[in-house]
Amino acid sequence: MTDRHHLLVFGGTFAAVGDGGDISGVRTAGSPEGLFVRDARHLSRWQLTVDGAVPETLTPVADGDTARCVLVPRGGRNEPPAYTLFREQAVGDNSFVESLRVTSNRPVPTTIHLAITADADFTDQFELRSDHRTYAKSGATRSRQVLDHGVEFTYRRAEWRSLTTVTADPAPDAVEETGTGARRLLWTLDLPPHGTKELTLRVIARPHGDKRALRVPRSPSALTTQLLSLEGEFVEGVAFPTGWPELAAACARGLADLAALQVPATGPDGEELRVPAAGAPWFLTLLGRDALLTSLFALPYRPRLAAATLPALAATQATETGLEAVSQPGKIVHEVRHGELAHFAQVPYGRYYGSVDATPLFLILLGTYVEQTGDTLLAQRLEPHARAAIGWMLDHGGLTSRGYLVYRADQGGLANQNWKDSPGAICSADGTRPGGPVMAAGAQGYAYDALRRTAWLARTVWQDETYAALLEQAAADLRDRFQQDFWMPEHSFPALALDGGGHQVNALASDAGHLLWSGLLDKEYGEAVGRRLLEPDFFSGWGVRTLAAGQPAYHPLSYHRGSVWPHDNALITLGLARYGLHDEARTVAHALVDAATTTGHRLPEVLAGYGRDTHTEPVPYPHACVRESRSAAAPLALLTAVGGA
């Protein structure tokens, strides 16, 4: 497969199709190709042929919520195409709909033979990652059944059962076996002179355990209308800056993306919720850290995201200790998966708790939400969950025993459990990885803010002055310890982390900006850090790099060692504004908005770290999520930090 992939996203469903609208079934190292629902691929092939040949793409699929393309038979200048195919596709809740319009270009009757080759391999997303892992699936079977209007694919393994149903209007004239497991739906179309025939194909995915009565809209345009209505609802009523149209466009694009990225979740009392997924294609699911930061960025404009995220995470809060899931009582979940491999515990991510910072971020969002909305009922309802989260921070998290939040590499999961969670992301300036337990700087800032905000809740909502005073003292002690242990006088900058022996991990990293956002640093230290982040080795012109250039560990195309992350920069911008560094905040905000303007006002998950002085457009990071909730919400954080400046 050499063409690009185009993502169509609606809630927990996404499709990745090629330039001509096909799903080839070829495994690639980049974006996974197919139709996916709840971590499983429900269409692995979807290929159009006419008269036995693949048509040529005249107009490829463009970026958008609907995939539209124009196809013609292959030929030369002296053989004008006998027909033109107009192809339109869209996704909905557990569904994929395609319309095919075939128009004859001849003045005489024409007969063509059209076919769609379809297959569903039900592969788990973890099997499609480029980590070369394989997973045993003993007893798994796949079957196909021809229906009056199409074909149904079924997958079974023990109690696990998934289905994909393909139907067509008009019904196919025949359904053929292909020898590969796929099925070929065939039509013979008799076109009058310059006449047109239309087909509509509908795919419905039924993941294991999903017993809802699902209805597939009649056409792609109906699905598009449904999504546009949802996007409009998210954008409506937000006061965008009139003096900065580029930021206004980035905010509108971000809100529209957030509308599409809402996935189902359940609250503590079984109530149905919609929460922001982390991103497509690989993380169209609830990730604690991502949902919390997204909800924080959007809070002044769309508080309903926080109102759903908080109870959803409370419902998945750990109540016991589990080694494989890295769970401990009170800990907030890092990742929730619904796929086959998670169901059979072949990956630990069904409910995985490998995050040191989701728990304090939960408390920060709860306190901030109540402060901004006045909704004390949610704070009362979630009081037991908030106290359990504080208990985790003080006990299992390490605040009492080590003085800091601590994580240890998880052999079956994540080596690093802060936001920079790739292997090697936490390192010294020379690239050396720390040994033993790790105390990451940013997480300590979150802990400090969480203690303070929960103390405010205890005093104003829960009427518990003793508990409030205890938390305030813990926060003050943490602040004093941090500035003594993490500060590097020779750099006038905090260390990225402490290792298991309490030694500084001395890389100069963007995490220092998170300390400004949380208010952990004294004013003098904070101002020094803020100005340092705008020096050329840190600031690329498109944003602040995760690692300052010039250090041996720096790499502009590394995931966390020199790239530019929009959500990271959004936190930095909020922190700069908090410390009164408004010129610096505007500089970072303008850089991010300029980057978004070059890509249709949409910020990707991450950009390469190459500088604007040598690259007049931002260089994309090769494996970035195209739709990412934190990046979608980042322009809203910029609006909060600098207004329309």
Side-chain angles (χ1 to χ4, degrees):
M1 188 76 178
T2 57
D3 63 356
R4 301 170 299 150
H5 291 141
H6 305 269
L7 283 182
L8 307 172
V9 183
F10 189 101
T13 304
F14 80 88
V17 301
D19 279 341
D22 275 354
I23 296 168
S24 70
V26 176
R27 181 168 179 169
T28 62
S31 172
E33 212 183 13
L35 172 69
F36 290 83
V37 182
R38 290 173 70 92
D39 302 326
R41 183 159 65 178
H42 281 262
L43 271 185
S44 52
R45 281 188 71 185
W46 189 257
Q47 293 179 293
L48 170 67
T49 56
V50 182
D51 295 331
V54 176
E56 183 178 356
T57 303
L58 186 62
T59 303
V61 172
D63 291 336
D65 297 324
T66 303
R68 297 184 179 92
C69 59
V70 182
L71 311 172
V72 292
R74 297 183 184 275
R77 181 174 295 182
N78 297 323
E79 298 177 62
Y83 58 84
T84 304
L85 283 141
F86 300 90
R87 197 173 192 184
E88 185 175 356
Q89 301 163 325
V91 298
D93 191 15
N94 289 45
S95 60
F96 174 86
V97 181
E98 171 165 335
S99 68
L100 276 168
R101 182 162 48 92
V102 189
T103 299
S104 171
N105 299 320
R106 290 176 169 173
V108 297
T110 302
T111 297
I112 66 172
H113 301 282
L114 186 146
I116 290 284
T117 302
D119 198 7
D121 64 4
F122 301 97
T123 300
D124 192 290
Q125 267 195 276
F126 282 94
E127 297 177 87
L128 297 172
R129 297 189 178 189
S130 54
D131 56 9
H132 307 294
R133 297 186 186 183
T134 58
Y135 301 90
K137 294 185 171 184
S138 60
T141 60
R142 286 201 295 153
S143 59
R144 299 94 181 158
Q145 180 183 355
V146 176
L147 308 174
D148 290 342
H149 286 77
V151 62
E152 185 168 82
F153 301 91
T154 304
Y155 177 81
R156 290 182 175 86
R157 177 185 172 196
E159 73 274 14
W160 186 271
R161 185 171 183 265
S162 300
L163 296 94
T164 298
T165 306
V166 179
T167 58
D169 182 18
D173 299 320
V175 178
E176 291 182 343
E177 296 189 14
T178 63
T180 64
R183 294 294 185 266
R184 185 175 293 116
L185 286 69
L186 303 168
W187 292 263
T188 298
L189 302 180
D190 295 318
L191 300 173
H194 298 291
T196 295
K197 290 286 179 74
E198 293 191 22
L199 302 175
T200 301
L201 296 109
R202 300 181 183 89
V203 180
I204 187 163
R206 294 188 178 278
H208 175 73
D210 191 342
K211 296 180 173 57
R212 293 176 298 159
L214 299 171
R215 296 182 63 186
V216 182
R218 294 193 57 81
S219 66
S221 59
L223 282 173
T224 302
T225 300
Q226 186 178 350
L227 180 56
L228 288 175
S229 175
L230 185 59
E231 290 176 353
E233 181 186 334
F234 260 67
V235 173
E236 185 179 3
V238 177
F240 297 130
T242 56
W244 193 356
E246 294 83 5
L247 175 58
C251 289
R253 177 69 268 171
L255 282 166
D257 281 347
L258 287 175
L261 287 169
Q262 301 302 296
V263 296
T266 304
D269 298 323
E271 69 272 24
E272 294 183 359
L273 304 166
R274 305 287 288 188
V275 298
W282 295 111
F283 298 100
L284 201 60
T285 189
L286 174 62
L287 267 66
R289 179 194 301 125
D290 297 62
L292 289 160
L293 287 172
T294 298
S295 299
L296 276 162
F297 291 164
L299 182 56
Y301 315 97
R302 283 292 171 263
R304 68 170 122 168
L305 296 183
T309 294
L310 287 163
L313 291 175
T316 55
Q317 187 176 31
T319 57
E320 57 187 22
T321 299
L323 295 179
E324 290 189 359
V326 203
S327 63
Q328 295 155 336
K331 201 174 187 183
I332 295 299
V333 75
H334 170 64
E335 184 170 355
V336 177
R337 289 287 181 175
H338 305 281
E340 173 191 358
L341 296 182
H343 176 82
F344 289 105
Q346 291 176 278
V347 296
Y349 302 109
R351 284 191 183 180
Y352 179 66
Y353 294 84
S355 166
V356 74
D357 47 15
T359 307
L361 286 170
F362 173 81
L363 295 166
I364 293 170
L365 179 60
L366 178 60
T368 309
Y369 171 82
V370 175
E371 182 181 12
Q372 292 193 15
T373 66
D375 182 5
T376 58
L377 291 178
L378 186 61
Q380 292 168 349
R381 181 189 182 198
L382 299 185
E383 179 182 355
H385 302 279
R387 288 180 181 263
I390 288 288
W392 177 83
M393 287 171 53
L394 294 174
D395 186 7
H396 296 285
L399 277 183
T400 300
S401 59
R402 298 296 297 259
Y404 299 108
L405 289 184
V406 178
Y407 69 81
R408 294 163 180 80
D410 173 25
Q411 187 173 3
L414 296 171
N416 287 308
Q417 296 175 20
N418 63 324
W419 86 263
K420 291 178 176 174
D421 58 5
S422 61
I426 303 301
C427 63
S428 297
D430 63 3
T432 303
R433 303 183 188 187
V438 175
M439 292 153 273
Q444 314 317 321
Y446 303 161
Y448 170 76
D449 199 15
L451 289 167
R452 293 178 63 252
R453 291 186 183 277
T454 310
W456 177 81
L457 287 175
R459 179 172 289 115
T460 60
V461 180
W462 305 333
Q463 306 301 314
D464 191 338
E465 178 63 36
T466 301
Y467 191 55
L470 171 70
L471 299 183
E472 286 173 339
Q473 186 60 53
D477 292 345
L478 174 57
R479 183 184 181 117
D480 292 343
R481 282 194 305 274
F482 183 90
Q483 296 192 156
Q484 177 179 339
D485 295 341
F486 278 77
W487 191 254
M488 300 185 293
E490 67 276 19
H491 297 292
S492 296
F493 206 78
L496 174 57
L498 301 181
D499 66 14
H503 305 109
Q504 293 178 346
V505 180
N506 66 348
L508 302 181
S510 63
D511 302 59
H514 297 215
L515 304 176
L516 305 182
W517 175 63
S518 61
L520 182 58
L521 299 176
D522 288 344
K523 183 174 176 58
E524 179 183 353
Y525 285 2
E527 290 175 350
V529 165
R531 295 191 177 100
R532 180 68 181 85
L533 289 171
L534 270 294
E535 292 185 16
D537 57 345
F538 260 122
F539 186 65
S540 75
W542 303 113
V544 176
R545 298 181 176 99
T546 46
L547 210 64
Q551 301 174 95
Y554 169 77
H555 191 307
L557 285 170
S558 169
Y559 200 47
H560 290 121
R561 284 191 177 188
S563 52
V564 173
W565 286 66
H567 94 272
D568 183 31
N569 277 261
L571 287 170
I572 291 169
T573 306
L574 290 167
L576 291 168
R578 177 173 185 160
Y579 277 77
L581 300 172
H582 299 293
D583 289 342
E584 289 82 357
R586 282 190 288 270
T587 297
V588 177
H590 276 275
L592 280 183
V593 171
D594 289 349
T597 302
T598 68
T599 54
H601 305 291
R602 174 183 285 144
L603 285 168
E605 174 191 23
V606 53
L607 297 165
Y610 294 108
R612 192 171 184 171
D613 54 343
T614 57
H615 296 79
T616 56
E617 290 193 355
V619 177
Y621 179 80
H623 306 294
C625 283
V626 178
R627 304 271 192 105
E628 209 248 11
S629 62
R630 291 175 302 178
S631 292
L636 300 173
L638 302 181
L639 180 60
T640 300
V642 303

